[in-house]
Every structure is written in structure tokens, then in C-alpha cells.
Amino acid sequence: MSSKDNSAERMSAYLDAELPAEETEEFERLLAESPAVREELEDLRMVMQLVHALPDVDAPDDFYEKVSRKIRRRAILNPDGLALSPVSLPFQVLSILVILTAAGLYMMAELDRAPAKIEADPDAAKYESEQQDSLPPLHQPVP
Amino acid sequence: MAREDLPVTGGAAASKAGESQGRDEEPEPAADADLDPVVAARKRADVRDRRLIRKLRQGDDRAFEELVGLYQNRIYGLMLRMIGNPEEAEDLAQEVFITVHRAIGSYRGEGRFYTWLYRIATNTCKNRIKYLRGRNFHRSVPVDETPEAHSSAADGGPLITLQSQIAGPEAMTEGNRLQAAIQHELAQLDEEHRLLIVLRDVQGMSYQDILRVTGLQEGTLKSRLHRARIALKDRLKAHLA
């Protein structure tokens, strides 16, 4: 760091009264010798005063009620503090995928089951065919 | 916002006061006529905070309400100056206290509650800024501050208002314009620079407390704070001309 940077840093610390006594004396000597440093110091001082003079702002009157409401709502949604946590999220997604996969496999197995049953038992197939034939047609032709 | 509890001066005395914190059962400090009023106020505030935290850990919601009441304006003010948008600032400030409520069990009582709270606040704020940047959020600058906004010199700060910077009948208008300009230019600063200016120059935090909140080294803090002020000064030049 150059000596110029050093003196610049000391300028801010000097304005904040955070400079050790020894360095303060040294910096004040520099100030006495250099009008440019004095000018920069005054510019900085003015900026600091302007920023400090920004008005204070107050939180809304119902601030605590809103915080309290949010805490209660989260406690209801997430009583053990884990259900919605990022750590458990992958497990939740994984569980849903497992359930969906199991349901899909079950449905596919169900669709395949009826033809397989008929193929495996020809008597059953014959019986079903007879049953179909004995049923009256849905739409009888009008004589 | 009351700034009277805020440490406005750093140095050895303030540092010693900070180091003496951290024991839950510390008794009320005896009245000491020799004690610096600022240091004495800090001690009283720390003892009060520890008492409230003890009660909160025992499940006393009134203690939490009191803690929120004590710090809500400072945290909201920090967020508003950092983000520039009142709705976002309020939401962020609420998140800070929700985190405090959730994490109070893990607060070991080492160091001041005040700095622990500010660490949560600055981390929450930085995370939100990153998130908003990702969503290409544009900070909106409230030109007219809230009606209840007021200037105070009760903390021993400079007796200066923005209006008083400009002479003449249009002082109020000019003061408001300047105020909006400062907020606008502050919002344009690098996030780390903005944070240091808000903590030090807006909220009047001591160097020791800023070091504890940010985790910076002292040399880094001094140089970064100086660069931040220079950057702000350069940005404000056009408005002050």
C-alpha cells in the first residue's frame, strides 16, 4: 500500500476519532502542511454529515404483530421445523417419485392381468365367450 | 429511531465494555460516576438484553415482544438504507426477528446480543440482495421519507439537518432533493461499501462493533470504509455543485 493510501485511510479514521494518538499528531502535521489534504478532509466531513443527517425511519406500528403472525403460521405449517426445511426437501421429492413409480407399475400390472388370465385358463375364456353370446343385444331391431 | 443506546464512539473504553459481555448471570452494574455515559448506557442495555434473552429462552413471548420493540427501528432502518424499498425492508426486518426467535437457543451469550442481531441482519440482507440481483430487481428509492421520519441529534451526533445545508426559503425542498439524492447514490454503491457507510455513518456504530458484525480486520475496515466514503463523495459531487 502506498503512503498516499495510508494517509487516505488515516483521514477516515481521523474523522471518526479512531486514530491512535501518535498517528493523530502525525496526521495533524500533514494537515497543517497540505491545503489539498485539508480540502479533501472537509469534503469528506461534509459527506459524512450529510449521510448522518438522513432522517431516522421507524418500522410500521404493527411490526411486532406481523412478526408474531408469521412465526405462528410457520409453526403450524412446520411444527417440527423439519418438514419444509431444505435438508428434507430431496427426501420429500424422492418419496413422491417412489409413490408415483409404484402406482404406475401397479396400473400396468393390472392392465396386463386380464389377457394373461384368459390365456392361462382357456375354459374361462370359453365361459366368458358364452356369457357374451347369451346376452341380448343392447339395441333390439324393431319388428 | 432512538440512537441513544448506540455506541457513537469507539476506542478502548467502548472496547472494554464490549469484552465484559457474555455472562448470562451478570448482575446489574453498580452506578459509577466515573463511567463514561455512553459506556454506562451500553452496559445497561446489555444487561437488559441478557435478561430478556433468558426470559425468551424460557418461552416468555412478552420478552420477545420487548426485544423486537427495542430493535425493530434500527433493523428496519438498516434494511431500508441497504435495499431502498420499504416493503422489501419490512419483510427483511421481519425475517431477521423470526430468525432470532428460531435461533435464540443456539445463541451462546458470548459477546453482545446487539452484534449477534446485526450479524443476522447483515447476512439476511446480503442474501436478499443476491436473490434480488438474480431477479433483476431495481431498487426503488423513496423520495419522500415516511412522515414520522425525523432528524435527531440526541446521540451527540452533528447538529445538522439536510435542510440546514441549504440557505433560503426553498431549503425544505432542496433538503428533500438532497436527501433523495443521497439515498439514491448510496444505493448505487457496492454492497460492502454501502453496508459500512450505513453501519458507521447512518447508524453511528463503533469500529469495534462493526468489526464484530462484519468479521473484518481493522485495517480492512478502515481502508474499505474510506474507499466507500470517497466513492459516495464522488457520486454526490454533481448534486452538491
Side-chain angles (χ1 to χ4, degrees):
Chain A
M1 192 180 287
S2 70
S3 61
K4 190 183 173 191
D5 286 341
N6 260 329
S7 78
E9 281 170 25
R10 281 189 301 174
M11 187 181 289
S12 263
Y14 176 78
L15 285 167
D16 289 328
E18 294 278 354
L19 210 55
E22 201 176 290
E23 287 185 50
T24 301
E25 280 176 25
E26 197 182 320
F27 186 74
E28 282 174 348
R29 275 200 297 276
L30 178 68
L31 271 180
E33 289 165 9
S34 168
V37 175
R38 277 202 303 276
E39 191 182 342
E40 191 166 357
L41 183 86
E42 287 314 310
D43 284 352
L44 265 192
R45 196 196 302 274
M46 187 179 69
V47 168
M48 286 167 60
Q49 285 177 339
L50 286 171
V51 172
H52 189 77
L54 279 172
D56 294 335
V57 286
D58 288 347
D61 291 339
D62 58 350
F63 185 84
Y64 174 73
E65 281 71 32
K66 286 179 183 169
V67 172
S68 178
R69 211 177 303 142
K70 276 190 179 177
I71 289 173
R72 280 199 303 272
R73 197 183 308 143
R74 288 183 194 186
I76 292 167
L77 289 173
N78 185 19
D80 55 359
L82 292 171
L84 298 176
S85 73
V87 176
S88 67
L89 194 62
F91 295 105
Q92 290 172 13
V93 172
L94 192 65
S95 306
I96 290 167
L97 286 177
V98 167
I99 291 167
L100 287 175
T101 309
L105 288 172
Y106 177 77
M107 283 175 69
M108 284 169 68
E110 277 296 302
L111 286 173
D112 287 344
R113 187 179 292 174
K117 190 177 169 184
I118 289 166
E119 280 167 20
D121 187 0
D123 289 342
K126 192 180 171 189
Y127 174 75
E128 280 194 10
S129 170
E130 283 171 4
Q131 287 290 101
Q132 290 286 337
D133 292 344
S134 66
L135 286 173
L138 286 174
H139 301 288
Q140 295 271 357
V142 179
Chain B
M1 178 169 59
R3 286 178 179 166
E4 55 268 22
D5 283 348
L6 276 174
V8 288
T9 55
S15 173
K16 272 182 194 169
E19 283 160 11
S20 71
Q21 314 310 320
R23 295 182 300 277
D24 267 356
E25 300 304 322
E26 188 175 326
E28 195 81 28
D32 188 345
D34 298 336
L35 213 56
D36 181 309
V38 175
V39 177
R42 274 175 64 135
K43 277 199 160 190
R44 279 196 302 276
D46 289 342
V47 169
R48 175 204 61 204
D49 288 351
R50 278 197 296 279
R51 177 178 54 79
L52 291 173
I53 289 160
R54 243 188 344 263
K55 285 184 174 179
L56 176 57
R57 279 176 168 162
Q58 290 162 2
D60 186 344
D61 280 344
R62 279 174 306 179
F64 182 60
E65 184 174 0
E66 205 176 328
L67 266 181
V68 173
L70 283 166
Y71 290 106
Q72 64 181 27
N73 290 343
R74 289 176 202 169
I75 298 299
Y76 175 71
L78 169 71
M79 296 307 183
L80 186 62
R81 295 300 174 206
M82 285 296 291
I83 301 277
N85 176 294
E87 286 80 27
E88 280 287 340
E90 188 185 352
D91 186 53
L92 271 176
Q94 288 170 4
E95 286 303 320
V96 170
F97 288 104
I98 291 168
T99 305
V100 167
H101 189 270
R102 196 179 60 228
I104 197 70
S106 66
Y107 171 61
R108 291 172 297 173
E110 292 166 2
R112 308 176 68 202
F113 168 75
Y114 168 77
T115 49
W116 183 68
L117 174 69
Y118 264 80
R119 268 204 300 277
I120 293 174
T122 53
N123 287 336
T124 307
C125 189
K126 282 179 184 176
N127 289 340
R128 184 67 65 96
I129 287 173
K130 267 185 212 156
Y131 170 76
L132 293 175
R133 198 184 293 138
R135 295 183 62 192
N136 209 13
F137 175 82
H138 297 286
R139 287 182 292 268
S140 66
V141 180
V143 175
D144 297 318
E145 294 289 341
T146 53
E148 63 272 27
H150 57 279
S151 292
S152 163
D155 57 357
L159 281 164
I160 181 173
T161 63
L162 294 175
Q163 282 75 24
S164 73
Q165 298 296 295
I166 305 130
E170 292 179 347
M172 188 65 80
T173 315
E174 273 302 287
N176 288 342
R177 187 192 60 80
L178 189 53
Q179 185 180 301
I182 292 168
Q183 176 65 58
H184 176 76
E185 297 303 344
L186 192 56
Q188 307 306 313
L189 291 182
D190 168 69
E191 162 197 328
E192 293 290 339
H193 284 176
R194 205 184 326 155
L195 177 65
L196 294 182
I197 290 202
V198 172
L199 291 178
R200 176 65 201 178
D201 295 337
V202 178
Q203 301 221 323
M205 196 180 267
S206 72
Y207 273 31
Q208 287 300 319
D209 283 343
I210 296 175
L211 292 175
R212 288 190 188 104
V213 168
T214 59
L216 293 174
Q217 296 294 314
E218 190 170 351
T220 312
L221 168 62
K222 283 180 180 173
S223 60
R224 201 174 282 179
L225 181 59
H226 183 71
R227 283 202 299 273
R229 284 169 174 166
I230 293 289
L232 185 60
K233 186 193 81 171
D234 291 344
R235 286 188 161 277
L236 284 173
K237 211 173 266 178
H239 301 280
L240 296 171

